[in-house]
Structure formats: structure tokens, C-alpha cells
Amino acid sequence: MTRIFSGIKPTGHLTLGNYLGAVRQWAEVDQHRAESLFSIVDLHALTVDHDPGRVLRLSRQAATLLLAAGIDPERATVFVQSHVDEHARLSYLLECVATDGEMRRMIQYKEKSALERARGGSVRLSLLTYPVLMAADILAYGADQVPVGDDQVQHVELTRDLAVRFNQRYGHTFVVPRATYPKVAARVMDLQDPMSKMGKSGGAGAGIVYLLDEPDVVRKKILRAVTDSGSEVEYDRETKPGVSNLLEILASCEGGSPEGLSGVYETYGALKKDTADAVVEILRPLQEKHKELVADPAYVDEVLRRGAERAREMARPTVDTAYRAIGLLPPVSEVP
């Protein structure tokens, strides 16, 4: 059976972009077609300066929202990355296979390190090496497929390269995964800056719709979204990024295509109103379920405990095999 792995970082409150670009796909499609693992990758949140208490809160909120979005813990494995030691164990082995040049070519490293230096801060070593930890997240489980947005494709390619290199040097150990992509809204953009991704940890709040925003807040943000010169409501990412972003959001909410909506609307105002209505309606059941889950923290705790246990059972044989293959002496208790 196909196995997929995907994770989400607790670096900010989850957004409409996270939902339309990833989480809804996980809940409605991926968990039904494959053996699925969905992880709150909290170790990745430590690559930049952070508030420990906030990471704790956001990790729990992210887990709760995954469940509220419809991910079924009886069907999929939901867990927190740091609860499974195999991620860190394998990451170091892969660092011994990766090269400095590969790490420094990563686009996200270049962008994030430049921002950190511009703020006068120092760049943590973990920011350079975290793509290797991401590779370990995937390879530990023998995942065949990795659902990603287009900004993560380079990391999946690195994962493939490391798997092939390790297999060639030390014997076949890892499945070589491939990236898969949602059909619509793979990359929802900021409503105030449609050239930038709607991200959890950056941008202005006015351009970001958070999954737990109240309906009136959602409407206000979408009605104030930046549009483009001219009056034609057409889908063209190059010349009309603002309108195209709204068309993609609306199409993703309604199950259509942004191209199919091109030319349907006569005014930007009408497009914004319908988009706001669609987003409010698609978030309503998620928000209601989230309230129920927040009132039952013991249930969420048990889901994460069982998820980590299952994940550990899946990952340990592969990671142990990698340790033996690379030449590390097994613990004495394991020696025949």
C-alpha cells in the first residue's frame, strides 16, 4: 500500500493557505488512498529564535486543528515529531551523507538567513541543516509520496538525492519518495501582498486568514484584499496576481478551477463577496469541531500518544537498518 508522510510546523497559527493547500487534501483524499502519517514537526520550529511557551501552544493547536479538519486517527497516524526519537537519530546519519554545498543551495535557507542577518541576528546552524531533518522525517517511514506545495519541491528533491546516495554507498535501505501536488490552491498568497505566500510566520495579519478567525474578521480581510489595475476579472498570475489569488481561493472552496471562473464576474466587489462567503462556509465546520476538541484535551492527548507509538513502530526498523548499514556497532543487548 502507498505510504505518505507530511508535516506542518508550529511556527504560527494555521492559515487558509495551510488548509486549502495541504490539510484539506490530507483529510479528504490522502488518508483514504494511502497509509498516511501527519506530523506536527515541532523540531523544525527551533531553527529560528522562538518563544518556548508559544511553540508548545501552537503545537497543540495544530494537532487539534488537524483533527478538526477531518483527519481520522483511526485511519491516519497523527503525532508530534519530537515524540519519536527516530527523526533525530536518522537526521545525523543523513548529515553524514549530505554536503555543505547542497545545504547552502537551498532557496529557503538563502531567504531566511538573509532576513535574519538583515534584522541583525545570527543564523542558527539548524536553519542550514533542517532540510536533512526533513529528509529524515520522510525516509524513516519508507514514504512513497510527499504531498507538498511548490515551495517545498526542492526539499523533496534533496530527500530523493540523499536516499539514492545512501543506498548506493551502504546498501539498499530507503524508499526513494516523490512529491505530489494538490490540483488547486497549492500556494495561496497573502491578500495584501499577492506576490508573497500566505504564511503562518510572516506577513501582515491583514493579509492572512487564520483558520480560527471569526467570520466577520474573515469577511473584512477578504473584502479589503488588494486587487489589480483595470476592471477585468481574469485569471492571470503574471498581470493580475491579486484577482488571480481570489479566483484560486474561490475555486478551491467550491471545487472548480480558477480558469473556469475567469470572466464570470463583472466587478472585483462581487468576486470578493462570493470569495468571503465561500471561505466563511468552508471554515464553519472546522471551527465548530475545534471547539469540541478543545473541551476534551484528554482525547487529543490520547490521539498523540497512540500516534507516536505507531510512528515509532514504523520508523525504528528502518532507522536501525540504516545504523547497521553505515557501520555503527549495535547496542550490546542486540548482538547475537
Side-chain angles (χ1 to χ4, degrees):
M1 185 178 183
T2 299
R3 181 178 288 178
I4 65 174
F5 175 94
S6 201
I8 197 156
K9 286 191 292 186
T11 51
H13 299 287
L14 298 192
T15 72
L16 180 67
N18 297 131
Y19 182 67
L20 295 181
V23 175
R24 187 177 64 166
Q25 169 86 10
W26 300 350
E28 295 183 357
V29 179
D30 292 337
Q31 69 173 339
H32 300 287
R33 70 177 178 86
E35 185 176 23
S36 304
L37 297 104
F38 302 118
S39 180
I40 294 83
V41 286
D42 53 345
L43 296 176
H44 291 294
L46 310 184
T47 60
V48 294
D49 190 31
H50 64 279
D51 175 357
R54 187 168 187 265
V55 172
L56 283 170
R57 293 191 299 274
L58 290 175
S59 295
R60 186 172 190 82
Q61 184 185 87
T64 306
L65 283 168
L66 292 188
L67 299 175
I71 293 178
D72 181 357
E74 299 301 321
R75 184 182 294 274
T77 301
V78 182
F79 68 103
V80 176
Q81 177 193 34
S82 64
H83 294 177
V84 181
D85 293 346
E86 277 64 31
H87 291 255
R89 289 179 62 208
L90 182 55
S91 181
Y92 181 73
L93 293 197
L94 296 179
E95 284 186 15
C96 297
V97 175
T99 68
D100 176 75
E102 285 175 315
M103 297 299 97
R104 296 187 186 280
R105 285 195 295 271
M106 294 289 108
I107 294 172
Q108 288 204 20
Y109 171 73
K110 291 180 179 179
E111 294 176 347
K112 292 181 179 180
S113 61
L115 286 173
E116 190 64 33
R117 292 189 182 99
R119 289 198 295 261
S122 57
V123 180
R124 299 186 181 190
L125 178 61
S126 56
L127 184 62
L128 178 67
T129 60
Y130 93 90
V132 178
L133 176 58
M134 184 181 294
D137 297 338
I138 298 164
L139 298 179
Y141 298 100
D144 308 277
Q145 299 178 14
V146 188
V148 293
D150 55 7
D151 59 327
Q152 294 293 334
V153 172
Q154 189 183 35
H155 291 155
V156 178
E157 289 304 313
L158 173 68
T159 301
R160 290 172 54 85
D161 290 344
L162 295 180
V164 169
R165 192 177 306 155
F166 191 102
N167 289 347
Q168 290 175 341
R169 290 180 181 177
Y170 306 114
H172 185 77
T173 305
F174 300 118
V175 173
V176 181
R178 63 183 179 88
T180 59
Y181 314 94
K183 293 181 180 179
V184 177
R187 199 175 194 193
V188 177
M189 312 305 279
D190 190 291
L191 295 172
Q192 293 299 314
D193 180 11
M195 301 304 291
S196 299
K197 179 182 174 182
M198 185 183 286
K200 302 186 298 297
S201 53
I208 302 171
V209 175
Y210 296 104
L211 296 188
L212 297 179
D213 276 347
E214 294 291 336
D216 61 333
V217 174
V218 172
R219 292 184 191 280
K220 184 181 295 185
K221 288 180 177 180
I222 293 176
L223 292 177
R224 293 179 177 177
V226 168
T227 48
D228 311 289
S229 60
S231 59
E232 299 82 7
V233 182
E234 298 176 341
Y235 182 72
D236 187 329
R237 272 293 187 188
E238 295 297 321
T239 63
K240 288 185 172 290
V243 170
S244 297
N245 188 39
L246 291 171
L247 289 170
E248 285 211 23
I249 292 171
L250 179 57
S252 187
C253 288
E254 296 185 340
S257 70
E259 294 85 357
L261 291 171
S262 186
V264 170
Y265 290 90
E266 295 184 358
T267 66
Y268 292 161
L271 170 62
K272 288 181 177 182
K273 180 182 180 301
D274 281 3
T275 302
D277 289 343
V279 171
V280 167
E281 287 308 308
I282 204 170
L283 293 184
R284 190 185 307 279
L286 180 149
Q287 292 179 350
E288 291 173 353
K289 184 63 176 177
H290 178 264
K291 289 180 182 178
E292 293 178 16
L293 292 169
V294 167
D296 189 5
Y299 171 75
V300 177
D301 287 342
E302 180 62 13
V303 167
L304 296 178
R305 186 195 66 78
R306 288 189 287 113
E309 190 174 83
R310 286 203 302 266
R312 202 174 297 118
E313 290 174 355
M314 283 188 246
R316 184 164 293 168
T318 298
V319 176
D320 285 348
T321 297
Y323 266 60
R324 290 192 296 270
I326 207 168
L328 297 177
L329 189 68
V332 173
S333 60
E334 296 181 13
V335 175

